[in-house]
Amino acid sequence: MSTRSETAPRTNEVLSQLTSRMRQIGIFLALIAIVVFFQVVTGGKLLTAGNVANIIVQNSYILILAIGMVMIIIAGHIDLSVGSVAAFVGAMSGVMVVHWGWPWWLGIIASLLVGALVGAWQGFWVAVVGIPAFIVTLAGMLLFRGLTQMVLGNTQITPFPSEYRLLGGGYLFPQLFPASTSPVEWITFGLGVVTLVLFVGYEIGERSKQAKMGLETEARTWFLVRLIGGVALIAYLTYLLGMADGSRGTPVVLIVLAVLIVGYTLVMSRTVFGRHIYAIGGNRHAADLSGIKSRRIDFWLFVNMGVLSALAGLVFTGRLNSAGPGAGNLFELDAIAAAFIGGAAVQGGVGRIVGAITGGLIMGVLNNGMSLMGVGTDSQQFIKGMVLLLAVAFDVWNKRRQRA
């Protein structure tokens, strides 16, 4: 009898944890379900080493944009110009590196500065003049698309230096441990082990810190499920990229993404700047009354978005080895979709970096899986639109359920 009486409260505690985290948990379960579905219907082609690396590389620039976009959405804004800004910066980098003969590293730094200036330009109109971000960035979408065509003259700039192209489609030291002589790509294996240790250490450390401070901790069962799931994911990704047949090592852009995800997650969860973004999105008037300088936050949010748009443009240009006038088309819609599918609230004040990345991966897996199945682009657009609509509908339903 005592065993049953102890088991029931534990079960209720776990269910309570799952219910309270429905928004966060649901997106991960959706990603797992989509991956399993396409793995089955494609006959195992989805989770091959080469295809997983392709998914990472092909969607890297959308994931970079999603990081900045979810921060903009949390603050209660929207940015429709990121695709045009990415194309404009890619064009400018082509002019500087290819036409003017600048060193590749100087061209990359200068391109990021151009992105910061673009973000400052848009942030000025939003934060200082007070024009809604929707209007400012809609104008920016047209403005920077036009500037891209003017810079390029409706032609493409190519080829780029090999070092430049590494950012978009290269691998870490590919000749150091070639597959013909080494059974394991040891750089990838080492990075996987380090990531695994840091992940486990961080999760256990955070739980023990909360316990020492007397804060409420999540149920042990749910904590172990999360921990084991994270360990399994890291280990499997390490295997695919470093040990499986056809593996080519770690894409350079994966390292860039990892640094961005960790860095921006810490900014949003551990810094005053991040807490102010959530406060502004939750209730701007109350945030102003409490002393938060919301206009300054808005300005730096758009500067940050400009830099991330520039980085996405560099990655895309490096992967294609070409800067063209049509680059960045619909990038803004994919980034916005990733943020909303990942749990960001339409009204602002809610969202997570990891959620936006998960939403971007869902879009990427959908694109890749449907391409492997031979689904046409028209059907792909329809399905992605329905996924976005259902994700927002789930968010609305979840909020109503919590209020009730």
Side-chain angles (χ1 to χ4, degrees), residues 289-309:
L289 292 177
S290 65
I292 295 174
K293 295 179 173 57
S294 59
R295 290 178 178 268
R296 181 181 297 177
I297 299 294
D298 289 341
F299 177 81
W300 287 111
L301 275 175
F302 279 94
V303 172
N304 175 72
M305 189 73 255
V307 173
L308 290 178
S309 299

Side-chain angles (χ1 to χ4, degrees), residues 97-256:
V97 175
V98 178
H99 287 180
W100 295 350
W102 288 15
W104 64 271
W105 57 269
L106 183 59
I108 288 177
I109 294 174
S111 297
L112 294 176
L113 290 175
V114 170
L117 291 174
V118 169
W121 162 263
Q122 300 199 115
F124 167 79
W125 293 103
V126 174
V128 179
V129 180
I131 301 176
F134 178 86
I135 301 300
V136 172
T137 57
L138 179 60
M141 179 176 66
L142 302 174
L143 191 155
F144 294 109
R145 181 63 63 182
L147 283 177
T148 302
Q149 295 173 350
M150 291 167 62
V151 168
L152 295 176
N154 287 324
T155 60
Q156 292 187 342
I157 297 178
T158 190
F160 284 80
S162 58
E163 297 88 350
Y164 182 104
R165 298 200 304 270
L166 284 175
L167 182 62
Y171 291 80
L172 284 178
F173 309 110
Q175 301 303 322
L176 195 56
F177 298 104
S180 58
T181 59
S182 178
V184 176
E185 210 288 317
W186 291 105
I187 294 176
T188 302
F189 180 79
L191 289 173
V193 171
V194 170
T195 304
L196 202 61
V197 172
L198 291 176
F199 171 75
V200 174
Y202 174 81
E203 290 291 335
I204 295 176
E206 284 295 300
R207 183 175 176 83
S208 62
K209 186 188 299 183
Q210 291 177 358
K212 289 179 181 178
M213 296 175 65
L215 301 175
E216 182 181 359
T217 58
E218 60 187 346
R220 181 179 299 178
T221 303
W222 170 240
F223 171 75
L224 291 176
V225 168
R226 270 199 321 106
L227 188 66
I228 294 172
V231 168
L233 176 62
I234 295 170
Y236 189 60
L237 186 61
T238 302
Y239 165 76
L240 286 176
L241 296 179
M243 290 174 276
D245 291 339
S247 59
R248 291 173 285 180
T250 303
V252 173
V253 75
L254 179 60
I255 303 299
V256 175

Side-chain angles (χ1 to χ4, degrees), residues 19-77:
T19 303
S20 63
R21 297 168 181 251
M22 181 66 72
R23 178 185 293 162
Q24 301 171 11
I25 297 169
I27 189 65
F28 289 106
L29 295 179
L31 177 60
I32 293 171
I34 291 171
V35 168
V36 171
F37 171 77
F38 282 115
Q39 177 71 356
V40 172
V41 298
T42 60
K45 294 179 181 179
L46 182 74
L47 294 180
T48 59
N51 194 58
V52 169
N54 287 337
I55 291 175
I56 294 171
V57 172
Q58 291 172 2
N59 294 279
S60 55
Y61 36 89
I62 299 300
L63 298 179
I64 292 170
L65 292 175
I67 292 172
M69 187 64 72
V70 74
M71 296 172 68
I72 293 283
I73 291 173
I74 290 171
H77 300 298

Side-chain angles (χ1 to χ4, degrees), residues 253-287:
V253 75
L254 179 60
I255 303 299
V256 175
L257 276 171
V259 172
L260 291 177
I261 293 169
V262 173
Y264 278 96
T265 298
L266 292 176
V267 167
M268 294 299 289
S269 61
R270 298 292 186 86
T271 68
V272 174
F273 181 75
R275 290 193 290 271
H276 284 180
I277 293 173
Y278 281 106
I280 292 170
N283 190 323
R284 178 173 291 269
H285 182 62

